[in-house]
Amino acid sequence: MAQLTNADYRKNSFEPRIAVVQLIFGIIYGFVTGIGIILAFRVLEATGQQPWLQYFFVVLFGILAGKSFYIYAKTRIAQNTGIQVVAKVDNIVPTHGITIVEGMLIMPDETTLPIESRFAGETVAHELKRFLDENKTKKLPALLVNKDTKHPRGQFLVKTRAGHLDPEYMNSLKTSK
């Protein structure tokens, strides 16, 4: 079997935090679009000439706002329609203040998909390793999105709080084994 690289794990990973960032940018672009419309009307009233520069920026920022809201909606829909599956943990790496968990998502048709999830704090890596060792398992729950497309994506479903594993979530994993 060929050795997987970090890029192999990353390209199949689903990152829902992108949706929040796109929503924020969409709101900002929307405000800029609104301000551009107001400025265009003020220039038209004051000079009687068409404010082509304002029109250009209104259209530009309107397109950017639309794109951001589209990415937000598409990501949220994918997250809400994803299915829960199991993923085998291959590697847990604490580095530069984050924890990187790499593994193979087991798809419903029994094929595998390399995925990677990142979590805040290096402590998560040590706690997650200890949890997996104590429970003698290498598997964690995962979310598979866009499974019926050419490019399915996945993420590990691990909840953290303030740079540590969420104890309530870990207890729920123990009881659902």
Side-chain angles (χ1 to χ4, degrees):
M1 185 172 158
Q3 184 69 23
L4 293 174
T5 65
N6 286 350
D8 293 326
Y9 287 106
R10 288 276 309 159
K11 73 179 180 183
N12 298 319
S13 299
F14 177 65
E15 189 56 64
R17 288 179 286 203
I18 291 171
V20 175
V21 173
Q22 289 299 322
L23 177 63
I24 292 168
F25 276 116
I27 291 169
I28 292 169
Y29 293 148
F31 278 129
V32 172
T33 302
I35 291 168
I37 291 170
I38 293 168
L39 285 174
F41 282 121
R42 294 286 170 109
V43 169
L44 185 60
E45 285 178 355
T47 64
Q49 296 179 353
Q50 292 294 327
W52 296 109
L53 186 61
Q54 280 81 7
Y55 292 158
F56 170 76
F57 281 107
V58 164
V59 170
L60 175 67
F61 282 99
I63 290 170
L64 290 173
K67 177 192 72 94
S68 293
F69 289 129
Y70 172 76
I71 292 171
Y72 171 75
K74 187 176 174 187
T75 305
R76 294 300 295 187
I77 290 169
Q79 186 176 17
N80 292 335
T81 59
I83 60 171
Q84 289 197 3
V85 293
V86 174
K88 181 181 159 285
V89 177
D90 290 338
N91 197 9
I92 301 173
V93 181
T95 180
H96 304 296
I98 62 171
T99 294
I100 302 170
V101 181
E102 298 172 338
M104 296 298 240
L105 186 138
I106 303 164
M107 297 181 45
D109 63 358
E110 298 302 319
T111 60
T112 59
L113 180 73
I115 62 169
E116 171 185 289
S117 292
R118 293 172 179 241
F119 303 98
E122 292 182 21
T123 308
V124 174
H126 306 295
E127 293 173 354
L128 195 54
K129 285 179 185 178
R130 185 173 45 244
F131 174 81
L132 293 173
D133 289 341
E134 286 174 0
N135 291 290
K136 295 176 180 50
T137 185
K138 282 286 197 183
K139 295 183 177 179
L140 286 174
L143 183 69
L144 173 63
V145 299
N146 301 334
K147 76 174 181 88
D148 297 326
T149 65
K150 276 203 256 182
H151 303 289
R153 303 205 180 283
Q155 77 176 88
F156 284 99
L157 292 178
V158 175
K159 289 187 181 178
T160 62
R161 182 177 294 151
H164 295 278
L165 288 178
D166 186 354
E168 291 176 22
Y169 182 69
M170 288 297 122
N171 286 336
S172 72
L173 286 179
K174 287 179 186 176
T175 58
S176 66
K177 253 183 15 176

CSV table of all heavy atoms in Angstrom, one decimal, residues 56-81:
chain,number,residue,atom,x,y,z
A,56,PHE,N,-20.0,50.0,-10.2
A,56,PHE,CA,-19.0,48.9,-10.4
A,56,PHE,C,-18.8,48.3,-9.0
A,56,PHE,O,-18.8,47.0,-8.9
A,56,PHE,CB,-17.7,49.4,-11.0
A,56,PHE,CG,-16.6,48.4,-10.9
A,56,PHE,CD1,-16.6,47.3,-11.8
A,56,PHE,CD2,-15.6,48.5,-9.9
A,56,PHE,CE1,-15.6,46.4,-11.7
A,56,PHE,CE2,-14.6,47.6,-9.9
A,56,PHE,CZ,-14.6,46.5,-10.7
A,57,PHE,N,-18.5,49.1,-8.0
A,57,PHE,CA,-18.3,48.5,-6.7
A,57,PHE,C,-19.5,47.9,-6.0
A,57,PHE,O,-19.4,46.9,-5.3
A,57,PHE,CB,-17.6,49.6,-5.7
A,57,PHE,CG,-16.2,49.7,-6.0
A,57,PHE,CD1,-15.7,50.9,-6.7
A,57,PHE,CD2,-15.2,48.8,-5.7
A,57,PHE,CE1,-14.4,51.0,-7.0
A,57,PHE,CE2,-13.9,48.9,-6.0
A,57,PHE,CZ,-13.5,50.1,-6.6
A,58,VAL,N,-20.7,48.4,-6.3
A,58,VAL,CA,-21.9,47.8,-5.8
A,58,VAL,C,-22.0,46.4,-6.4
A,58,VAL,O,-22.3,45.4,-5.7
A,58,VAL,CB,-23.1,48.7,-6.1
A,58,VAL,CG1,-24.4,47.9,-6.0
A,58,VAL,CG2,-23.2,49.9,-5.2
A,59,VAL,N,-21.8,46.3,-7.7
A,59,VAL,CA,-21.9,45.0,-8.4
A,59,VAL,C,-20.8,44.0,-7.8
A,59,VAL,O,-21.1,42.9,-7.5
A,59,VAL,CB,-21.8,45.1,-9.9
A,59,VAL,CG1,-21.7,43.8,-10.6
A,59,VAL,CG2,-23.0,45.8,-10.4
A,60,LEU,N,-19.6,44.5,-7.7
A,60,LEU,CA,-18.5,43.7,-7.2
A,60,LEU,C,-18.8,43.1,-5.8
A,60,LEU,O,-18.7,41.9,-5.6
A,60,LEU,CB,-17.2,44.5,-7.2
A,60,LEU,CG,-16.0,43.8,-6.7
A,60,LEU,CD1,-15.6,42.6,-7.5
A,60,LEU,CD2,-14.8,44.8,-6.5
A,61,PHE,N,-19.1,44.0,-4.9
A,61,PHE,CA,-19.4,43.6,-3.5
A,61,PHE,C,-20.7,42.8,-3.4
A,61,PHE,O,-20.8,41.9,-2.6
A,61,PHE,CB,-19.3,44.7,-2.6
A,61,PHE,CG,-17.9,45.2,-2.3
A,61,PHE,CD1,-17.3,46.2,-2.9
A,61,PHE,CD2,-17.1,44.4,-1.3
A,61,PHE,CE1,-16.0,46.6,-2.6
A,61,PHE,CE2,-15.8,44.8,-1.1
A,61,PHE,CZ,-15.3,45.9,-1.7
A,62,GLY,N,-21.6,43.0,-4.3
A,62,GLY,CA,-22.8,42.2,-4.3
A,62,GLY,C,-22.5,40.8,-4.7
A,62,GLY,O,-23.0,39.8,-4.1
A,63,ILE,N,-21.6,40.6,-5.7
A,63,ILE,CA,-21.2,39.3,-6.2
A,63,ILE,C,-20.4,38.6,-5.0
A,63,ILE,O,-20.7,37.4,-4.8
A,63,ILE,CB,-20.4,39.4,-7.4
A,63,ILE,CG1,-21.3,39.8,-8.6
A,63,ILE,CG2,-19.7,38.1,-7.7
A,63,ILE,CD1,-20.5,40.1,-9.9
A,64,LEU,N,-19.5,39.3,-4.4
A,64,LEU,CA,-18.8,38.7,-3.3
A,64,LEU,C,-19.7,38.3,-2.1
A,64,LEU,O,-19.5,37.3,-1.5
A,64,LEU,CB,-17.7,39.7,-2.8
A,64,LEU,CG,-16.5,40.0,-3.7
A,64,LEU,CD1,-15.7,41.1,-3.2
A,64,LEU,CD2,-15.7,38.7,-4.0
A,65,ALA,N,-20.7,39.2,-1.8
A,65,ALA,CA,-21.6,38.8,-0.7
A,65,ALA,C,-22.4,37.5,-1.1
A,65,ALA,O,-22.6,36.6,-0.3
A,65,ALA,CB,-22.6,40.0,-0.5
A,66,GLY,N,-22.9,37.5,-2.4
A,66,GLY,CA,-23.6,36.3,-2.8
A,66,GLY,C,-22.8,35.1,-2.8
A,66,GLY,O,-23.3,34.0,-2.4
A,67,LYS,N,-21.5,35.2,-3.2
A,67,LYS,CA,-20.6,34.0,-3.2
A,67,LYS,C,-20.4,33.5,-1.7
A,67,LYS,O,-20.5,32.3,-1.4
A,67,LYS,CB,-19.3,34.4,-3.8
A,67,LYS,CG,-18.3,33.2,-3.8
A,67,LYS,CD,-16.9,33.7,-4.1
A,67,LYS,CE,-16.3,34.5,-3.1
A,67,LYS,NZ,-15.4,34.0,-2.1
A,68,SER,N,-20.2,34.5,-0.8
A,68,SER,CA,-20.0,34.1,0.6
A,68,SER,C,-21.2,33.4,1.2
A,68,SER,O,-21.1,32.4,1.9
A,68,SER,CB,-19.6,35.3,1.4
A,68,SER,OG,-18.4,35.8,1.0
A,69,PHE,N,-22.4,34.0,0.9
A,69,PHE,CA,-23.6,33.4,1.4
A,69,PHE,C,-23.9,32.0,0.8
A,69,PHE,O,-24.4,31.1,1.5
A,69,PHE,CB,-24.8,34.3,1.2
A,69,PHE,CG,-24.8,35.5,2.1
A,69,PHE,CD1,-25.0,36.7,1.6
A,69,PHE,CD2,-24.6,35.4,3.5
A,69,PHE,CE1,-25.0,37.9,2.4
A,69,PHE,CE2,-24.6,36.5,4.3
A,69,PHE,CZ,-24.8,37.7,3.8
A,70,TYR,N,-23.5,31.8,-0.5
A,70,TYR,CA,-23.6,30.5,-1.1
A,70,TYR,C,-22.8,29.5,-0.5
A,70,TYR,O,-23.2,28.4,-0.2
A,70,TYR,CB,-23.3,30.7,-2.6
A,70,TYR,CG,-23.2,29.4,-3.4
A,70,TYR,CD1,-24.4,28.7,-3.7
A,70,TYR,CD2,-22.0,28.8,-3.7
A,70,TYR,CE1,-24.4,27.5,-4.4
A,70,TYR,CE2,-22.0,27.6,-4.4
A,70,TYR,CZ,-23.1,26.9,-4.7
A,70,TYR,OH,-23.1,25.7,-5.3
A,71,ILE,N,-21.5,29.8,-0.2
A,71,ILE,CA,-20.6,28.9,0.4
A,71,ILE,C,-21.1,28.5,1.8
A,71,ILE,O,-21.0,27.4,2.2
A,71,ILE,CB,-19.1,29.5,0.4
A,71,ILE,CG1,-18.6,29.6,-1.0
A,71,ILE,CG2,-18.2,28.6,1.3
A,71,ILE,CD1,-17.3,30.3,-1.1
A,72,TYR,N,-21.6,29.5,2.5
A,72,TYR,CA,-22.1,29.3,3.9
A,72,TYR,C,-23.3,28.3,3.8
A,72,TYR,O,-23.3,27.3,4.5
A,72,TYR,CB,-22.6,30.6,4.5
A,72,TYR,CG,-23.3,30.4,5.8
A,72,TYR,CD1,-22.7,30.1,7.0
A,72,TYR,CD2,-24.7,30.5,5.8
A,72,TYR,CE1,-23.4,29.9,8.1
A,72,TYR,CE2,-25.4,30.3,7.0
A,72,TYR,CZ,-24.8,30.0,8.1
A,72,TYR,OH,-25.5,29.8,9.3
A,73,ALA,N,-24.2,28.6,2.9
A,73,ALA,CA,-25.4,27.7,2.8
A,73,ALA,C,-25.0,26.3,2.3
A,73,ALA,O,-25.5,25.3,2.9
A,73,ALA,CB,-26.4,28.3,1.8
A,74,LYS,N,-24.1,26.2,1.4
A,74,LYS,CA,-23.7,24.9,0.9
A,74,LYS,C,-23.0,24.1,2.0
A,74,LYS,O,-23.3,22.9,2.1
A,74,LYS,CB,-22.8,25.1,-0.3
A,74,LYS,CG,-22.4,23.8,-1.0
A,74,LYS,CD,-21.5,24.1,-2.3
A,74,LYS,CE,-21.1,22.8,-2.9
A,74,LYS,NZ,-20.1,23.0,-3.9
A,75,THR,N,-22.2,24.7,2.8
A,75,THR,CA,-21.5,24.0,3.8
A,75,THR,C,-22.4,23.6,4.9
A,75,THR,O,-22.4,22.5,5.4
A,75,THR,CB,-20.4,24.9,4.4
A,75,THR,OG1,-19.5,25.3,3.4
A,75,THR,CG2,-19.6,24.2,5.5
A,76,ARG,N,-23.4,24.4,5.3
A,76,ARG,CA,-24.4,24.1,6.3
A,76,ARG,C,-25.3,22.9,5.9
A,76,ARG,O,-25.6,22.1,6.6
A,76,ARG,CB,-25.2,25.3,6.7
A,76,ARG,CG,-24.4,26.4,7.4
A,76,ARG,CD,-23.8,26.0,8.6
A,76,ARG,NE,-24.8,25.7,9.6
A,76,ARG,CZ,-24.6,25.4,10.9
A,76,ARG,NH1,-23.4,25.3,11.3
A,76,ARG,NH2,-25.6,25.1,11.7
A,77,ILE,N,-25.7,23.0,4.6
A,77,ILE,CA,-26.5,21.9,4.1
A,77,ILE,C,-25.7,20.6,4.1
A,77,ILE,O,-26.3,19.5,4.5
A,77,ILE,CB,-27.0,22.2,2.7
A,77,ILE,CG1,-28.1,23.3,2.7
A,77,ILE,CG2,-27.6,21.0,2.0
A,77,ILE,CD1,-28.4,24.0,1.4
A,78,ALA,N,-24.5,20.6,3.7
A,78,ALA,CA,-23.7,19.4,3.7
A,78,ALA,C,-23.5,18.9,5.1
A,78,ALA,O,-23.6,17.7,5.3
A,78,ALA,CB,-22.3,19.7,3.1
A,79,GLN,N,-23.3,19.8,6.1
A,79,GLN,CA,-23.1,19.4,7.5
A,79,GLN,C,-24.4,18.7,8.0
A,79,GLN,O,-24.4,17.7,8.7
A,79,GLN,CB,-22.7,20.5,8.3
A,79,GLN,CG,-22.4,20.2,9.7
A,79,GLN,CD,-21.8,21.3,10.5
A,79,GLN,OE1,-22.0,22.5,10.1
A,79,GLN,NE2,-21.2,21.1,11.6
A,80,ASN,N,-25.5,19.3,7.7
A,80,ASN,CA,-26.8,18.9,8.2
A,80,ASN,C,-27.3,17.6,7.5
A,80,ASN,O,-28.1,16.9,8.1
A,80,ASN,CB,-27.9,20.0,8.1
A,80,ASN,CG,-27.6,21.1,9.0
A,80,ASN,OD1,-26.9,21.0,10.0
A,80,ASN,ND2,-28.1,22.3,8.7
A,81,THR,N,-26.9,17.3,6.3
A,81,THR,CA,-27.3,16.1,5.6
A,81,THR,C,-26.2,15.0,5.6
A,81,THR,O,-26.4,14.0,5.0
A,81,THR,CB,-27.6,16.4,4.1
A,81,THR,OG1,-26.5,17.0,3.5
A,81,THR,CG2,-28.8,17.4,4.1
